[in-house]
Amino acid sequence: MVMRGSVTTAIWCLPSEPVVTCHSEVHVWCALLSKAYNPDLISLLVDDEIIRAGKFHLSRDRENFIAARGVLRMLLGRYLNTDPRALRFCYNAYGKPALASEFCSSDLRFNISHSNDIAVYAISTGRDLGIDIEYMRPLPDQDSIAEQFFSPKEVADLHSLPLHLQETAFYTCWTRKEAYIKAMGKGLSIDLDEFDVELRPGLPASLLSVKNDPGEAARWSLQELIPADGYVGALGVEGHDWKLKCWQWQDGYHAS
């Protein structure tokens, strides 16, 4: 992998040419949902997505969901040279999304996460991957959450840090664990305390070990992502022989 350490806001740029992906690259897109949203986006969604959007009580949450799904459809439509309205998704037994069978020949893989006002999208060809983002906010029960879900090593590493670093380290650990289990495609059927990720500041993101499977950690790469101030994110990717490219989404959409 070419990039190490954090991918900061300075690296997220606008594409200057048509964007295509291949097995040796992973693309991550960042979208500011409040800017991406407009009412026309709902015309891109299928019935089940519209039903899901309607279940949000707050208009801001509903609009963010519509924007996040609309941008996903526009992105995948661009990569596949397909009308975003024509895209269909399927889900495995643990809820991980994928393109439906009629698009399988592309072998395009994707994953999405959104928090507060930002969504991030990971796209690759032929590689399993997962992405997670969190908006950092104080959690009164942070220590009890860590004790419940983090591994003993991670809890010890977290408590070894100065207090002013522990909140960021907590979210760093959480997003890296989520990125890995999303890449695996097994969701919370994997116990979060049965594998270790690196959470200490200044050390590269990595999957350190997996309980009862000595070779598993070597199969995966982890990369820290920081799409904006106040956010922490992580990308998990199968393999190590890939390059990361980060893009800022800025396209609009208006129904014709």
Side-chain angles (χ1 to χ4, degrees):
M1 188 171 67
V2 170
M3 304 188 74
R4 297 288 183 182
S6 301
V7 180
T8 67
T9 53
I11 297 175
W12 302 83
C13 56
L14 299 174
S16 58
E17 57 189 25
V19 179
V20 296
T21 191
C22 60
H23 187 72
S24 63
E25 293 182 354
V26 174
H27 296 178
V28 174
W29 293 80
C30 174
L32 184 62
L33 297 176
S34 58
K35 289 187 176 181
Y37 175 78
N38 73 65
D40 292 339
L41 281 174
I42 201 164
S43 69
L44 299 182
L45 308 189
V46 296
D47 288 347
D48 70 299
E49 292 170 321
I50 294 171
I51 291 170
R52 288 173 64 188
K55 292 181 179 179
F56 290 98
H57 297 295
L58 298 179
S59 59
R60 178 178 180 269
D61 294 338
R62 182 167 57 252
E63 291 172 1
N64 279 352
F65 175 83
I66 292 169
R69 297 295 292 196
V71 170
L72 173 64
R73 286 181 166 275
M74 287 188 284
L75 274 173
L76 296 177
R78 175 182 295 185
Y79 280 96
L80 296 168
N81 194 28
T82 298
D83 185 340
R85 300 176 187 87
L87 295 174
R88 296 293 179 267
F89 303 118
C90 59
Y91 300 84
N92 73 7
Y94 304 98
K96 184 175 182 177
L99 288 163
S101 58
E102 58 263 41
F103 303 101
C104 284
S105 61
S106 69
D107 206 14
L108 198 70
R109 318 281 179 90
F110 70 92
N111 203 235
I112 176 176
S113 178
H114 60 89
S115 180
N116 198 37
D117 195 34
I118 287 182
V120 286
Y121 308 83
I123 298 174
S124 71
T125 300
R127 290 182 187 272
D128 288 326
L129 76 175
I131 196 166
D132 192 62
I133 183 177
E134 294 289 342
Y135 178 68
M136 292 188 291
R137 61 196 185 281
L139 289 174
D141 52 352
Q142 176 179 293
D143 286 345
S144 62
I145 293 173
E147 293 282 352
Q148 181 178 359
F149 293 106
F150 292 1
S151 71
K153 172 178 169 47
E154 291 163 344
V155 172
D157 286 346
L158 181 65
H159 290 161
S160 73
L161 297 173
L163 283 175
H164 70 281
L165 296 178
Q166 288 188 18
E167 181 180 281
T168 299
F170 172 87
Y171 281 105
T172 295
C173 186
W174 187 268
T175 55
R176 291 176 185 180
K177 293 174 89 67
E178 284 284 330
Y180 168 62
I181 65 172
K182 290 175 75 175
M184 286 283 290
K186 295 184 178 180
L188 292 177
S189 68
I190 300 174
D191 291 333
L192 292 176
D193 62 356
E194 293 197 348
F195 60 95
D196 303 317
V197 299
E198 183 58 74
L199 60 83
R200 291 169 293 177
L203 296 175
S206 59
L207 177 63
L208 299 174
S209 65
V210 178
K211 186 177 179 180
N212 299 325
D213 193 345
E216 172 67 5
R219 293 183 52 229
W220 300 93
S221 305
L222 288 181
Q223 171 70 51
E224 182 178 56
L225 305 169
I226 304 177
D229 292 340
Y231 290 83
V232 169
L235 171 70
V237 181
E238 182 183 18
H240 297 268
D241 54 334
W242 54 275
K243 297 185 294 184
L244 177 62
K245 293 186 176 180
C246 293
W247 308 109
Q248 183 73 46
W249 174 263
Q250 200 177 46
D251 289 13
Y253 175 79
H254 298 279
S256 55

